[in-house]
Amino acid sequence: MAAFAHSAPCWVDVQLSDLEAGKRFYGGLFGWTFRAGDGMPFADALSGGRLVAALAAKKDGRMPTAWGVYFATDDIRATVAAIREHGGQIITDPVRAGRAGIVAQAADPGGAVFGLWQPEEREGFERQNKPGSFCWTEVHTRQPEKVDPFYEKVFGFRGTDLDEAGNDVSGDAEALVDFRMWSPEGTEPGPDTAVGGRSVITDAFPAEMPSYFLTYFTVADCDAAAELAVQLGGRVSAPPFDIPYGRMAVLVDDQGALFAVLQPSELLP
């Protein structure tokens, strides 16, 4: 497995009430196969024989049914301290996950939850940016003025603001900016180096909608994936539409977990 740079998204998992139903849905949608977690209430998901995600049975029914993303860190305790220092909250203090690594959960100043992963035997994804695997994550928030500096200070992200057409607007102070791409520290900020992003929840959405991370998976055919999700018992939250980087849709699985699929531009007809 390739090592992940500090602050890079390195893993995703979904918390489900019915683990076996989750296997049927995601196995049908992405062609995933599954490997039991040594008697634990979770299953590793594989695409082409390589690790791409995990499905976990919820320990408590009050937990949200949701996809979670984990960011790599080479010093989880230092990252936890930085989160607290810059206005975030620690939900779960660092705990060892067997020999795989050390994990913690946190929330940014807007309330969006994410994970931290300090690897030992398991680095993270063995496959990404290919059909059936992770390709992108973005936080949706109502408080960009608090969230932007938080991620810059905690993870060293450098932002590129985009307009609605996906163009860099760094030189146009009057442009309407509602999306920011994150590039790791030490790289030239821009779409070519971006590993995630920040979007704004507008007043068009219900006030009770919390901040959240949206996880994207690559697919070979966005429209077909949306249709298949419905056939498998899920639903379409945002029908397929074109963006500067391909064609995407926002879907909900048969247990209520929200996620997105992206057909990259190079896979479009």
Side-chain angles (χ1 to χ4, degrees), residues 58-94:
K58 291 197 288 187
K59 299 177 182 178
D60 185 333
R62 294 171 295 181
M63 294 174 62
T65 301
W67 279 97
V69 64
Y70 296 78
F71 294 94
T73 175
D74 49 15
D75 188 339
I76 198 167
R77 296 194 180 280
T79 305
V80 162
I83 289 169
R84 289 191 169 113
E85 178 183 355
H86 296 295
Q89 295 183 333
I90 300 302
I91 298 171
T92 305
D93 284 315

Side-chain angles (χ1 to χ4, degrees), residues 44-55:
D44 286 328
L46 300 98
S47 177
R50 295 183 176 275
L51 285 168
V52 292
L55 277 56

Side-chain angles (χ1 to χ4, degrees), residues 13-26 34 41 54-61 63-67 253-258:
D13 62 21
V14 63
Q15 301 289 325
L16 299 171
S17 298
D18 188 332
L19 184 59
E20 293 305 314
K23 290 179 182 180
R24 290 190 294 272
F25 180 88
Y26 289 103
F34 299 94
L55 277 56
K58 291 197 288 187
K59 299 177 182 178
D60 185 333
M63 294 174 62
T65 301
W67 279 97
D253 72 17
D254 59 341
Q255 298 182 57
L258 188 77

Side-chain angles (χ1 to χ4, degrees), residues 95-115:
V95 61
R96 186 169 295 279
R99 296 189 299 272
I102 303 171
V103 63
Q105 278 199 321
D108 69 23
V113 176
F114 60 91

Side-chain angles (χ1 to χ4, degrees), residues 42 44 66 69 95 98 109 128 185 203 261:
F42 70 90
D44 286 328
V69 64
V95 61
Q128 56 182 322
E185 188 173 17
D203 292 339
V261 293

Side-chain angles (χ1 to χ4, degrees), residues 27-259:
L29 183 63
F30 294 134
W32 288 351
T33 58
F34 299 94
R35 183 172 66 197
D38 298 327
M40 301 295 287
F42 70 90
D44 286 328
L46 300 98
S47 177
R50 295 183 176 275
L51 285 168
V52 292
L55 277 56
K58 291 197 288 187
K59 299 177 182 178
D60 185 333
R62 294 171 295 181
M63 294 174 62
T65 301
W67 279 97
V69 64
Y70 296 78
F71 294 94
T73 175
D74 49 15
D75 188 339
I76 198 167
R77 296 194 180 280
T79 305
V80 162
I83 289 169
R84 289 191 169 113
E85 178 183 355
H86 296 295
Q89 295 183 333
I90 300 302
I91 298 171
T92 305
D93 284 315
V95 61
R96 186 169 295 279
R99 296 189 299 272
I102 303 171
V103 63
Q105 278 199 321
D108 69 23
V113 176
F114 60 91
L116 302 173
W117 181 250
Q118 180 178 319
E120 291 183 353
E121 292 187 359
R122 175 176 292 195
E123 296 285 354
F125 303 121
E126 294 178 334
R127 178 187 179 100
Q128 56 182 322
N129 300 315
K130 303 290 185 183
S133 65
F134 171 88
C135 63
W136 185 256
T137 190
E138 64 199 24
V139 65
H140 289 242
T141 183
R142 285 188 170 85
Q143 302 183 57
E145 71 284 353
K146 293 183 178 179
V147 165
D148 288 345
F150 171 83
Y151 287 103
E152 291 167 4
K153 292 173 182 176
V154 171
F155 291 121
F157 290 146
R158 301 177 68 191
T160 302
D161 290 323
L162 306 179
D163 64 14
E164 291 181 341
N167 300 308
D168 184 351
V169 296
S170 56
D172 183 358
E174 299 301 319
L176 176 62
V177 176
D178 61 3
F179 192 85
R180 172 171 289 188
M181 283 185 165
W182 295 331
S183 295
E185 188 173 17
T187 65
E188 184 66 29
D192 292 342
T193 59
V195 296
R198 182 271 294 147
S199 186
V200 174
I201 301 173
T202 68
D203 292 339
F205 294 90
E208 58 270 19
M209 176 184 284
S211 298
Y212 66 96
F213 270 90
L214 182 63
T215 292
Y216 287 64
F217 297 97
T218 302
V219 292
D221 187 325
C222 178
D223 293 75
E227 292 177 9
L228 181 55
V230 173
Q231 293 172 17
L232 291 166
R235 59 184 175 86
V236 176
S237 177
F241 60 98
D242 294 328
I243 61 174
Y245 308 100
R247 187 165 174 80
M248 68 166 288
V250 182
L251 309 177
V252 183
D253 72 17
D254 59 341
Q255 298 182 57
L258 188 77
F259 63 100

